[in-house]
């Protein structure tokens, strides 16, 4: 966000910057930008102590150029209509960029989930869902929520149960929400999907000669120093995949402070330490950074803000020393910050493409729910039998035997998680290349965010154009 303008205005500012490079007439551009439907509800909650509290909640359907609408539901005290509209808009562009056939949506409940018991949270989630049902704002073909900041598989299971009890016999009901537990129709790989997508996206950027040469960095992620802000689901898994592929996560920041170790931090150990002590600080072998935001300004190759919006502003942008910023969160940079960073030659890999792994795997989950069959169920054994035959033939012909580890690898038929990871990897690689091609096509395009917006605007614009006359 710019310090003066709202989050939604900021998204639209970035949109306008990109729209100049497209052929669409003003009317279509205005329609693409508009938030189509905004639902604001208030409902009472009887708290465990018997008192009554009024809960404020939203669901925004930003675009109906494709159905259903798609996007997470967040539980946060900062929720307001403007924020939900901005996040819903980002979902429209995000889905377009990764070719996921949904319109953008987002929901929010204005609560701090830490201040409520599990029973109270369940009551809030179920009441919110039944309000969405009443208003026709949820359904496998209408609008499909998912986890976001402050929510996870548990809340999605409550949403599913409330929806199905209000729609008995609806055979595709499981597709009314994604990010569900695997036992409730979820897909394997959804939990880590956003973090893995962030990793795949940055890895592809790091494999692009032109970008790395410009930044004076070597190709690949293996030798890179990474800083992650936020150890929630997205930050945790992003750190995990960077570490697994040889990068060093030298600092991790949370709201109570940050820690630094130039030899690298193990996110799992840090997570356990925080769970045990209640704070990320005083992690064995690491240096404390009491002011959390100072961690963003440390020397590193890749900075990953994976918490909330508006953390890099005009105020601190000038002090950022990272070469690449990967926006794992939605909207972590303000427009003003963007300009400063762009002038400094820092490559900002934009949110609505980089964190699209979550919605991409949500799409796979939704398809699984509609097809009523687990990925890999039909072909796994067939592939394994075939691979055994081929390997046997090769061994007969060459008179050599392959080792047992290689044999397992070659014979293996794909499980659900293999297919989900491969679908996600392919999606992130092709999206990166498409954005890079647009960026390369015109030297006037200032940054990767503008290139990503151009890709999104062209896809949504084409969909509206092909729909013909507006009704
Ligand atoms: N909340 C995630 C996002 O912002 C996931 C949305 C989804 O899976 O629908 O992209």
């Amino acid at each position: 966000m710019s310090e003066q303008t709202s989050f939604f205005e900021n998204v639209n500012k970035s949109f306008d910057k990109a729209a100049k490079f497209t052929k669409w007439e003003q009317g279509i551009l205005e329609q693409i930008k508009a938030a189509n439907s905004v639902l604001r509800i208030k409902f009472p909650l009887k708290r465990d102590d018997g008192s009554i509290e009024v809960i404020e909640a939203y669901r925004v359907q930003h675009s109906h150029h494709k159905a259903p609408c798609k996007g997470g539901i967040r539980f946060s005290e900062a929720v307001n209509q403007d924020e939900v509209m901005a996040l819903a808009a980002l979902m429209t562009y995000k889905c377009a960029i990764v070719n996921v056939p949904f319109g953008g949506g987002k929901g929010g409940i204005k609560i701090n989930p830490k201040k409520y018991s599990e029973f109270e949270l369940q009551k809030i989630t179920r009441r919110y869902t039944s309000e969405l049902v009443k208003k026709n704002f949820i359904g496998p073909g209408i609008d499909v929520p998912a986890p976001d900041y402050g929510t996870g598989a548990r809340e999605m299971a409550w949403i599913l149960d409330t929806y199905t009890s209000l729609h008995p016999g609806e055979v595709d009901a499981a597709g009314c929400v994604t990010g569900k537990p695997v036992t409730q129709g979820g897909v394997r790989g959804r939990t880590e999907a956003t973090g893995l997508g962030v990793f795949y996206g940055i890895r592809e950027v790091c494999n692009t000669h032109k970008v790395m040469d410009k930044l004076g960095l070597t190709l690949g992620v293996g030798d890179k120093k990474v800083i992650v802000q936020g150890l929630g689901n997205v930050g945790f898994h992003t750190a995990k995949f960077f570490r697994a592929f040889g990068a060093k996560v030298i600092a991790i920041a949370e709201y109570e402070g940050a820690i630094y170790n130039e030899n690298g931090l193990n996110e799992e150990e840090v997570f356990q330490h925080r769970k045990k002590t209640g704070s990320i600080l005083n992690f064995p072998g690491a240096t404390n950074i009491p002011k959390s935001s100072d961690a963003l300004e440390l020397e590193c190759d890749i900075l990953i803000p994976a918490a909330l919006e508006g953390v890099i502003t005009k105020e601190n942008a000038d002090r950022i020393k990272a070469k690449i910023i990967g926006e794992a969160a939605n909207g972590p940079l303000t427009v003003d910050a963007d300009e400063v960073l762009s002038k400094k030659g820092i490559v900002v890999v934009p949110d609505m493409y980089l964190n699209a792994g979550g919605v991409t795997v949500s799409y796979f989950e939704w398809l699984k729910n509609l097809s009523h069959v687990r990925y890999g169920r039909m072909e796994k054994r067939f592939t394994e039998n075939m691979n055994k035959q081929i390997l046997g033939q090769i061994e007969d012909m060459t008179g050599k035997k392959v080792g047992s580890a290689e044999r397992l690898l070659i014979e293996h038929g794909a499980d659900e998680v293999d297919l989900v990871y491969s679908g996600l990897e392919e999606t992130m690689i092709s999206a990166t290349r498409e954005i890079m091609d647009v960026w390369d096509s015109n030297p006037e395009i200032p940054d990767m965010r503008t290139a990503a917006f151009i890709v999104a605007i062209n896809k949504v614009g084409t969909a509206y154009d092909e729909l013909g006359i507006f009704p």
Side-chain angles (χ1 to χ4, degrees):
M1 282 158 290
S2 137
E3 280 80 326
Q4 291 81 32
T5 46
S6 79
F7 190 5
F8 188 50
E9 280 167 353
N10 263 273
V11 173
N12 287 340
K13 268 192 181 177
S14 301
F15 180 105
D16 293 340
K17 219 163 124 185
K20 290 202 292 275
F21 297 98
T22 70
K23 59 170 190 185
W24 305 104
E25 61 166 282
Q26 199 51 32
I28 288 206
L29 292 171
E30 290 305 322
Q31 175 54 49
I32 300 172
K33 270 199 284 186
N36 288 357
S37 312
V38 179
L39 175 69
R40 197 210 65 170
I41 46 181
K42 294 209 176 190
F43 55 82
L45 165 77
K46 187 160 193 173
R47 299 216 52 175
D48 292 346
D49 66 4
S51 63
I52 309 271
E53 196 179 304
V54 181
I55 304 289
E56 181 179 328
Y58 299 87
R59 182 75 190 173
V60 172
Q61 298 177 345
H62 173 262
S63 175
H64 296 118
H65 73 289
K66 300 230 159 150
C69 291
K70 189 86 192 76
I73 292 180
R74 62 171 52 187
F75 287 0
S76 146
E77 248 164 359
V79 161
N80 58 58
Q81 185 174 322
D82 177 79
E83 183 193 63
V84 186
M85 281 164 68
L87 293 166
L90 286 173
M91 287 308 301
T92 295
Y93 309 133
K94 192 184 295 192
C95 291
I97 288 169
V98 289
N99 294 317
V100 163
F102 297 141
K106 199 77 167 201
I109 304 186
K110 192 178 167 57
I111 54 164
N112 175 354
K114 292 198 179 78
K115 292 192 181 148
Y116 296 83
S117 71
E118 185 174 340
F119 182 58
E120 290 170 334
L121 288 173
Q122 182 167 170
K123 283 205 281 188
I124 294 170
T125 310
R126 286 182 180 275
R127 176 64 188 259
Y128 176 72
T129 309
S130 60
E131 292 293 328
L132 295 183
V133 170
K134 272 195 260 176
K135 305 287 181 340
N136 210 19
F137 261 70
I138 184 170
I142 298 169
D143 192 347
V144 181
D148 199 83
Y149 188 83
T151 59
R154 178 183 69 171
E155 286 73 15
M156 303 308 118
W158 294 334
I159 293 175
L160 172 71
D161 189 54
T162 310
Y163 181 86
T164 43
S165 67
L166 294 169
H167 291 85
E170 190 178 305
V171 70
D172 290 332
C176 76
V177 62
T178 59
K180 302 177 290 287
V182 174
T183 52
Q184 303 297 320
V187 75
R188 288 162 187 81
R190 175 63 183 85
T191 311
E192 64 272 37
T194 309
L196 182 56
V198 169
F199 170 75
Y200 283 146
I202 297 282
R203 188 188 64 182
E204 196 53 24
V205 172
C206 289
N207 285 338
T208 309
H209 278 275
K210 218 169 153 181
V211 176
M212 298 310 264
D213 287 352
K214 217 166 79 192
L215 292 173
L217 292 173
T218 53
L219 276 188
V221 290
D223 62 343
K224 300 293 179 289
K225 288 187 177 156
V226 183
I227 294 177
V228 177
Q229 183 204 34
L231 201 58
N233 177 43
V234 179
F236 175 84
H237 286 107
T238 303
K240 179 175 161 174
F241 289 110
F242 269 108
R243 188 173 60 80
F245 284 82
K248 276 198 179 89
V249 179
I250 57 164
I252 300 180
E254 258 295 344
Y255 67 90
E256 68 272 18
I259 50 172
Y260 174 84
N261 184 339
E262 62 173 347
N263 299 317
L265 295 158
N266 177 314
E267 72 298 325
E268 179 59 43
E269 289 168 9
V270 175
F271 181 82
Q272 291 307 334
H273 167 82
R274 189 167 187 244
K275 210 166 140 190
K276 208 168 77 200
T277 66
S279 168
I280 200 171
L281 296 170
N282 302 321
F283 180 70
T287 312
N288 283 340
I289 303 171
K291 190 166 163 237
S292 178
S293 56
D294 286 351
L296 302 173
E297 300 167 20
L298 296 171
E299 202 83 52
C300 69
D301 300 307
I302 303 167
L303 172 63
I304 309 277
L308 279 175
E309 57 261 22
V311 294
I312 301 178
T313 65
K314 198 167 59 183
E315 196 275 315
N316 60 354
D318 209 32
R319 299 193 296 275
I320 302 289
K321 295 176 197 73
K323 304 266 174 42
I324 298 172
I325 299 181
E327 292 187 315
N330 288 308
L333 272 58
T334 64
V335 171
D336 302 338
D338 237 1
E339 261 152 41
V340 178
L341 297 167
S342 175
K343 279 198 195 104
K344 284 172 67 140
I346 295 174
V347 171
V348 176
V349 188
D351 49 5
M352 82 241 203
Y353 133 77
L354 191 66
N355 67 29
V359 77
T360 301
V361 176
S362 277
Y363 170 48
F364 300 156
E365 179 175 333
W366 182 76
L367 290 175
K368 175 188 183 181
N369 296 147
L370 300 190
S371 66
H372 300 266
V373 63
R374 166 174 51 82
Y375 288 104
R377 177 166 175 179
M378 306 301 283
E379 64 273 37
K380 180 180 166 67
R381 187 66 51 183
F382 179 84
T383 312
E384 276 181 13
N385 290 340
M386 192 59 81
N387 290 347
K388 273 187 192 145
Q389 290 284 338
I390 296 170
L391 202 57
Q393 291 289 327
I394 295 173
E395 287 179 333
D396 284 351
M397 284 190 298
T398 57
K400 288 182 186 153
K401 292 268 176 216
V402 298
S404 53
E406 288 80 14
R407 178 176 301 279
L408 277 180
L409 202 71
I410 296 168
E411 286 181 357
H412 176 78
D415 288 310
E416 181 164 88
V417 74
D418 301 319
L419 294 168
V420 164
Y421 278 19
S422 117
L424 176 59
E425 186 175 9
E426 168 58 22
T427 302
M428 292 310 294
I429 291 176
S430 16
T432 313
R433 293 197 183 148
E434 200 174 346
I435 296 169
M436 289 293 183
D437 285 349
V438 168
W439 197 11
D440 277 352
S441 70
N442 183 345
E444 305 275 296
I445 298 172
D447 48 35
M448 203 173 163
R449 188 187 316 281
T450 308
F453 261 103
I454 294 171
V455 171
I457 294 170
N458 283 337
K459 288 188 185 170
V460 184
T462 305
Y464 273 122
D465 202 35
E466 285 167 357
L467 289 174
I469 310 156
F470 291 114

